[in-house]
Amino acid sequence: MIIVTGAAGFIGSNIVAALNDRGINDVVLCDWLLSDLRWQNLRKRAFTDFVFPEDLPRWLEGRSCVEAIIHMGAISSTKVRDGDEIMRKNFLFTLSLIDWCAKTNASLIYASSAATYGDGESGFVDDISFDALRKLRPLNLYGWSKHQIDLLVAHRRRSGGALPQKCIGLKFFNVYGQNEYHKGDMASVVCKMFETARRGETVNLFESCREGVPHGGQRRDFIYVDDVVSTVLWCLDAMATVDVFNIGTGEARSFAEMTQALFAAVGKEPAVQYSPMPDILRDRYQYFTQASTARFRAAGYAAPFNSLEQGVMHYVHNYLSREDRYR
């Protein structure tokens, strides 16, 4: 049995789909469905049980048949201001899963984030040592909550504290792809601007507020969700280890390049305008992210990643352009 938290969400639902594709149907989904149509992310899926997050600790009592928990559930908005809610749902809930997996010897693969790196001043190397992690300064509550889990794992790893034999944190960089439609403002540029670009109209990007960075020149490590799922399944299959890995392509690309890839995918000439960045983001905005992938490659992950152009083209032609956009 495999439990997937955040199962109705963007990455979680793609993981459930991939497990089903492997013939694994003994999957327990943990999430809230809410009223934003995210249930459609699961419309084609098979699973054996559904548990609301607040009920999961009680549901786990006495269970001995769980092979692994793939923990994708979290408040993922970088704009959230409620620190208590972030602490309850992102830190304390994850901590309870770490402790339970340590007691039962179930594997735990959990979502961390590139947001833990803050402005990138300390680099983007996925060093799990406690001292290295202590140098990072996340810019928002979301990144801070993920960082605190990484720190806790690193501390227990160093001190011999209770951890699952397999406890792998994955620092996802900028993920885009199918099943992100419910994310609203937190959806990718490709998702939000597809219809506008398909009509050949002008899309809007944020202006740059940093000297030396042109408008649209803010660069991120964009990674297609199919590649992310591939890394999660690899970790599920891999030998037991306690570690934290970057999950990105290793190549930073600009938002301007992403919009160019989108217009190319829909067969239109690029048309872009720029507007001021909202005040809520101005002081907490990452202008550059680029995953160091050397440690993950050294651990044995050998599959190539889609380029930005390949990923956008696949997303547009296989999902966004179709009547049924869901995996």
Side-chain angles (χ1 to χ4, degrees), residues 274-314:
Y274 299 94
S275 62
M277 187 177 297
D279 290 340
I280 193 173
L281 293 178
R282 192 179 297 266
D283 296 330
R284 295 176 292 170
Y285 188 82
Q286 288 178 305
Y287 273 77
F288 176 83
T289 66
Q290 180 172 283
S292 171
T293 60
R295 291 188 66 253
F296 196 48
R297 292 300 192 189
Y301 188 79
F305 294 117
N306 284 284
S307 69
L308 179 63
E309 289 75 15
Q310 289 170 333
V312 170
M313 186 69 72
H314 189 272

Side-chain angles (χ1 to χ4, degrees), residues 9-324:
F10 170 33
I11 298 175
S13 63
N14 277 281
I15 291 171
V16 175
L19 292 172
N20 281 179
D21 289 347
R22 279 188 168 193
I24 301 172
N25 300 315
D26 192 5
V27 183
V28 175
L29 311 188
C30 177
D31 210 342
W32 296 286
L33 295 182
L34 306 177
S35 56
D36 55 11
L37 299 182
R38 70 181 66 190
W39 71 269
Q40 294 195 53
N41 289 342
L42 300 171
R43 189 161 53 92
K44 304 170 187 176
R45 307 280 64 89
F47 51 93
T48 55
D49 206 346
F50 187 97
V51 185
F52 292 111
E54 64 269 25
D55 297 330
L56 186 60
R58 184 170 60 254
W59 187 93
L60 285 171
E61 291 179 3
R63 303 276 177 175
S64 59
C65 56
V66 177
E67 173 188 345
I69 297 178
I70 302 175
H71 178 40
M72 299 291 113
I75 297 175
S76 59
S77 173
T78 57
K79 299 179 183 180
V80 69
R81 296 288 187 93
D82 189 337
D84 295 333
E85 193 71 358
I86 280 280
M87 182 55 67
R88 278 191 291 267
K89 293 182 178 177
N90 287 13
F91 181 81
L92 293 176
F93 186 77
T94 305
L95 177 57
S96 71
L97 296 182
I98 291 173
D99 289 340
W100 187 85
C101 288
K103 290 178 183 178
T104 62
N105 202 30
S107 299
L108 177 67
I109 300 165
Y110 72 90
S112 183
S113 173
T116 60
Y117 290 114
D119 62 7
E121 184 177 334
S122 298
F124 298 95
V125 177
D126 46 356
D127 188 339
I128 194 177
S129 70
F130 184 78
D131 291 339
L133 287 170
R134 278 293 303 266
K135 297 176 182 178
L136 303 183
R137 297 292 182 267
L139 297 175
N140 51 61
L141 270 171
Y142 164 69
W144 173 77
S145 68
K146 294 294 187 178
H147 179 56
Q148 292 305 314
I149 289 296
D150 293 341
L151 275 172
L152 182 142
V153 170
H155 175 68
R156 289 190 180 185
R157 181 176 184 264
R158 183 176 70 173
S159 64
L163 285 172
Q165 290 187 19
K166 181 187 290 187
C167 183
I168 303 176
L170 301 178
K171 293 196 177 209
F172 296 134
F173 279 64
N174 284 75
V175 189
Y176 66 96
Q178 62 275 4
N179 292 15
E180 63 172 323
Y181 318 119
H182 64 283
K183 290 174 65 69
D185 286 344
M186 297 306 298
S188 72
V189 165
V190 177
C191 180
K192 290 191 288 187
M193 298 183 176
F194 167 71
E195 292 294 345
T196 302
R198 181 162 65 170
R199 294 192 299 266
E201 298 173 358
T202 301
V203 302
N204 188 73
L205 294 177
F206 290 144
E207 293 177 352
S208 171
C209 302
R210 180 171 294 182
E211 186 176 350
V213 179
H215 298 331
Q218 303 95 323
R219 292 192 292 158
R220 302 287 179 83
D221 192 332
F222 299 106
I223 181 167
Y224 189 41
V225 69
D226 284 3
D227 292 323
V228 166
V229 171
S230 177
T231 68
V232 171
L233 295 185
W234 183 87
C235 289
L236 189 65
D237 297 337
M239 62 181 293
T241 186
V242 176
D243 218 325
V244 174
F245 295 116
N246 285 336
I247 303 299
T249 66
E251 181 180 8
R253 302 290 298 274
S254 71
F255 281 96
E257 289 175 311
M258 175 168 259
T259 58
Q260 290 168 6
L262 172 59
F263 276 103
V266 298
K268 303 289 184 180
E269 287 296 318
V272 183
Q273 66 181 11
Y274 299 94
S275 62
M277 187 177 297
D279 290 340
I280 193 173
L281 293 178
R282 192 179 297 266
D283 296 330
R284 295 176 292 170
Y285 188 82
Q286 288 178 305
Y287 273 77
F288 176 83
T289 66
Q290 180 172 283
S292 171
T293 60
R295 291 188 66 253
F296 196 48
R297 292 300 192 189
Y301 188 79
F305 294 117
N306 284 284
S307 69
L308 179 63
E309 289 75 15
Q310 289 170 333
V312 170
M313 186 69 72
H314 189 272
Y315 185 18
V316 166
H317 285 270
N318 291 280
Y319 295 99
L320 290 175
S321 296
R322 297 189 175 185
E323 184 176 350
D324 181 359

